[in-house]
């Protein structure tokens, strides 16, 4: 029996050795708050596929959608604690880390997504990727979602229609000011709570992209959507300095390349979804579309444009000029 015991322990030791030799892949957790059938959701899955194909057995990407792992209130803090390695919050959610990105929230600044893209790819736009480096946040790239629309339980044709109404907003002082100038009441709430807030009528409306309004069914709990295209909702894919520097250079390059390709796919999808999801919402007949006349749209511009001056010092006049120049 001694011999048997010896053999067993030898086998166990060998098994242990061979298990030990095949090192566990390094896990990259990617957490986000939206559904999977969105530009960000699809980008994250593409990134996983590319990394795991190119670095098989070495790196593994776990994607957590729908605020499953972390939500708006804690994903950036979790990133800095290395509890998650990649997040892609909307540009409106970085205010505690930098005021520079407030540029993207200025109402009626960008004429369309092509202008947003030109600004992001410009020297000024690329510099903003490093605007949080002192806080340990590394910007790896921008990702598009699209232009924002207003939704509510009444038709918002003129700024006065928003008076006294409560709107859920992302945690951005610029967006808060944008609603305050038209006499509305902005309420900062995480994305994961928006559907219920609308459904229970705790709030009257919100602003978002066609893709988010569709994938989270906001259109089912609102009576009207105003096609305002008044602002942009885009993302910055970020990691922590600690995690990024911990990667060997050759692996980091593969991971960055994979991310760039995944972002390119996400951006293509963002453009497509803005049209497709808009159409799906209209086809559902659950909500009425408010189309602004040029004069009505101008009334919104006139009402909201004063917000720029309020934030000019913090954001910087030069940066605002550079963004405006991207309209061509
Ligand atoms: C929102 O909070 O409305 C959006 O930022 C959600 C998202 O990530 O697109």
């Amino acid at each position: 029996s001694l011999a048997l015991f010896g053999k067993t322990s030898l086998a166990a030791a060998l098994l242990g050795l061979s298990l030990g030799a095949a090192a566990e892949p390094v896990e990259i957790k990617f957490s986000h708050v939206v559904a999977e059938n969105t530009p960000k959701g699809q980008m994250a899955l593409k990134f996983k596929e590319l990394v795991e194909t190119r670095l098989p057995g070495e790196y593994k990407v776990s994607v957590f959608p729908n605020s499953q792992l972390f939500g708006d209130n804690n994903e950036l803090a979790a990133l800095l604690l290395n509890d998650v390695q990649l997040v892609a919050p909307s540009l409106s959610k970085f205010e505690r880390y930098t005021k520079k990105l407030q540029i993207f929230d200025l109402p009626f600044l960008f004429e369309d997504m092509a202008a947003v893209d030109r600004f992001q790819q410009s020297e000024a736009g690329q510099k903003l990727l490093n605007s949080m480096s002192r806080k340990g946040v590394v910007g790896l790239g921008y990702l598009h979602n699209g232009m924002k629309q207003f939704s509510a339980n009444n038709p918002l044709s003129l700024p006065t229609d928003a008076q006294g109404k409560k709107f859920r907003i992302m945690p951005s002082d610029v967006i808060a000011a944008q609603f305050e100038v038209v006499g509305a009441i902005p309420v900062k709430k995480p994305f994961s709570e928006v559907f219920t807030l609308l459904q229970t009528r705790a709030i009257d409306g919100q602003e978002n992209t066609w893709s988010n309004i569709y994938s989270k069914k906001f259109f089912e709990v609102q009576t009207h959507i105003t096609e305002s295209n008044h602002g942009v909702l885009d993302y910055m894919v970020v990691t922590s300095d600690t995690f990024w520097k911990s990667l060997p250079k050759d692996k980091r390059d593969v991971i960055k390349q994979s991310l760039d390709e995944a972002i390119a796919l996400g951006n293509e999808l963002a453009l497509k979804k803005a049209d497709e999801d808009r159409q799906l919402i209209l086809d559902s007949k659950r909500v009425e579309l408010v189309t602004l006349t040029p004069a009505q749209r101008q009334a919104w511009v006139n009402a909201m444009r004063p917000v720029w001056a309020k934030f000019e010092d913090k954001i910087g006049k030069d940066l605002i000029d550079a963004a405006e120049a991207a309209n061509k």
Side-chain angles (χ1 to χ4, degrees):
S1 80
L2 237 179
L4 188 68
F5 175 76
K7 264 186 203 156
T8 316
S9 59
L10 181 66
L14 282 175
L15 188 70
L17 259 181
S18 69
L19 279 178
E24 290 287 306
V26 176
E27 187 182 29
I28 302 175
K29 291 185 185 156
F30 190 158
S31 171
H32 67 80
V33 302
V34 294
E36 289 198 315
N37 59 335
T38 57
K40 185 161 58 181
Q42 291 297 304
M43 180 279 269
L45 292 175
K46 185 71 188 176
F47 172 71
K48 171 184 172 67
E49 179 200 312
L50 292 175
V51 169
E52 292 182 354
T53 309
R54 292 168 183 178
L55 299 168
E58 290 183 82
Y59 288 85
K60 149 180 169 193
V61 178
S62 307
V63 181
F64 302 89
N66 295 310
S67 312
Q68 253 168 38
L69 186 63
F70 298 108
D72 282 338
N73 288 339
N74 53 9
E75 67 179 14
L76 279 166
L79 183 80
L80 291 174
L81 291 170
N82 205 25
D83 288 339
V84 60
Q85 287 71 43
L86 279 177
V87 293
S90 92
L91 295 165
S92 315
K93 294 176 184 172
F94 290 102
E95 227 165 65
R96 288 171 56 189
Y97 299 86
T98 176
K99 303 288 181 206
K100 290 276 163 201
L101 294 175
Q102 289 184 325
I103 179 96
F104 290 100
D105 286 336
L106 294 179
F108 297 103
L109 171 56
F110 298 105
E111 275 167 18
D112 52 26
M113 290 308 291
V116 172
D117 195 72
R118 279 193 294 270
F119 175 64
Q120 289 173 352
Q121 299 314 318
S122 73
E123 206 187 317
Q126 289 294 301
K127 242 178 90 183
L128 292 177
L129 293 173
N130 305 320
S131 58
M132 297 174 282
S133 58
R134 270 186 300 154
K135 305 269 161 107
V137 178
V138 180
L140 297 175
Y142 293 102
L143 171 71
H144 295 318
N145 186 323
M147 300 300 279
K148 292 183 290 187
Q149 323 299 334
F150 294 121
S151 76
N153 285 321
N154 66 310
L156 301 172
S157 303
L158 285 169
T160 45
D161 299 325
Q163 242 166 44
K165 306 280 181 199
K166 283 194 189 128
F167 287 86
R168 176 270 173 172
I169 62 162
M170 297 184 278
S172 152
D173 287 346
V174 178
I175 300 176
Q178 171 203 277
F179 280 101
E180 278 159 4
V181 285
V182 297
I185 304 148
V187 191
K188 291 178 181 171
K189 289 287 181 188
F191 187 61
S192 58
E193 292 176 23
V194 180
F195 180 85
T196 305
L197 289 167
L198 293 172
Q199 189 185 38
T200 59
R201 302 230 168 184
I203 53 168
D204 302 297
Q206 60 92 45
E207 52 160 35
N208 231 306
T209 59
W210 290 113
S211 158
N212 281 342
I213 295 172
Y214 176 70
S215 59
K216 287 295 181 190
K217 299 184 168 33
F218 299 160
F219 68 101
E220 294 185 3
V221 286
Q222 296 273 266
T223 62
H224 291 80
I225 298 178
T226 297
E227 190 159 32
S228 51
N229 293 310
H230 62 278
V232 60
L233 196 164
D234 265 14
Y235 308 108
M236 192 184 285
V237 185
V238 292
T239 187
S240 71
D241 194 47
T242 315
F243 174 70
W244 203 235
K245 285 200 181 132
S246 78
L247 297 169
K249 174 149 186 357
D250 55 330
K251 311 296 176 198
R252 194 194 305 146
D253 289 348
V254 176
I255 290 166
K256 178 64 164 65
Q257 177 63 28
S258 302
L259 183 68
D260 290 346
E261 290 173 41
I263 285 177
L265 174 106
N267 286 346
E268 261 173 53
L269 216 65
L271 279 182
K272 260 182 44 193
K273 283 203 158 289
D275 286 342
E276 284 173 8
D277 291 350
R278 174 185 179 279
Q279 197 54 49
L280 288 168
I281 289 168
L282 300 187
D283 291 348
S284 79
K285 305 241 182 339
R286 298 282 296 253
V287 71
E288 218 173 292
L289 184 73
V290 178
T291 306
L292 300 175
T293 65
Q296 285 170 336
R297 191 163 195 278
Q298 193 56 47
W300 287 96
V301 175
N302 294 346
M304 290 181 160
R305 186 54 208 260
V307 168
W308 292 25
K310 243 190 113 177
F311 293 88
E312 194 179 280
D313 286 350
K314 274 188 192 157
I315 298 171
K317 177 90 170 71
D318 289 356
L319 200 58
I320 297 178
D321 289 346
E324 268 200 291
N327 286 324
K328 285 231 171 118

